[in-house]
Amino acid sequence: MSIVTLDDAKKQINIPADATEFDDEVQAYCDGITAVIEDYKREVIEPRTIREDIEHAGRSGRCFRLWSVPVISLTSLTSVTGSTVWDVSPTVLRVNSNTGLVRVLSGPAVRGLAEAVYQAGYQTIPDNYRRGALVALQHNWETRRGAAGGGVRNGVVGPEEVYDPRWSYSIPRKALEWLGAPRPVVG
């Protein structure tokens, strides 16, 4: 899954829609840029299922955190021994989608090791994320192939894009402006 489509990427890097010789490579760039943008933003952007072990040793067992955010929905929560299966309905387990904080409103506390299965990402990817991903994809494509895209390594245009090995990067400043600041780190 990718933040940007193959068609949008080809349009961004000036490859005609009916030209297919670079499709596999461009798709690999689409897939790769998704991981780069998600790492930068510190969040899941492209929706997917996450399996995560939750270990709760606190006294109350009434609160825990899912680490891949934003959370779309909690699918299941089961102790690793299988002895406890929690009801994941919002009246029992309340999930803050932005922070991943889950509160146990009723039923048994969460103690020991449990496996949470949930959907994380954006149901609708923000337009500025798509635009930032396209700019970053174009930057990476052109630093490898040149602006013409035909394998000529003449780089990208603009003083902020001049390659200096001391400052190697995958996301140029103009893409960062589209993406905005990364999500704060929660301890």
Side-chain angles (χ1 to χ4, degrees), residues 1-10 13 15 20-35 46 137 141:
M1 300 287 256
S2 302
I3 294 173
V4 297
T5 66
L6 177 63
D7 290 341
D8 287 343
K10 287 171 69 171
I13 58 179
I15 295 177
T20 59
E21 69 180 291
F22 297 114
D23 280 5
D24 289 343
E25 187 176 3
V26 174
Q27 185 61 57
Y29 271 76
C30 291
D31 297 342
I33 211 67
T34 296
E46 184 62 39
L137 183 143
W141 180 265

Side-chain angles (χ1 to χ4, degrees), residues 4 46 64 105 127 137 157:
V4 297
E46 184 62 39
F64 62 91
L105 301 178
D127 289 338
L137 183 143
V157 178

Side-chain angles (χ1 to χ4, degrees), residues 67-166:
W67 292 104
S68 296
V69 292
V71 176
I72 297 171
S73 64
L74 182 57
T75 308
S76 69
L77 181 64
T78 309
S79 65
V80 294
T81 62
S83 60
T84 308
V85 177
W86 285 266
D87 177 356
V88 295
S89 64
T91 57
V92 177
L93 296 178
R94 183 171 179 83
V95 181
N96 180 314
S97 64
N98 194 41
T99 65
L101 191 64
V102 180
R103 296 187 187 280
V104 181
L105 301 178
S106 64
V110 178
R111 298 196 191 285
L113 188 59
E115 181 186 60
V117 179
Y118 58 102
Q119 294 292 311
Y122 286 90
Q123 290 178 338
T124 302
I125 297 171
D127 289 338
N128 61 311
Y129 286 17
R130 286 189 192 281
R131 177 61 39 216
L134 285 168
V135 170
L137 183 143
Q138 179 180 7
H139 164 77
N140 283 279
W141 180 265
E142 289 178 356
T143 55
R144 181 170 181 279
R145 299 182 145 278
V152 178
R153 228 187 117 111
N154 59 359
V156 294
V157 178
E160 78 279 11
E161 304 293 339
V162 174
Y163 176 74
D164 181 337
R166 296 172 300 161

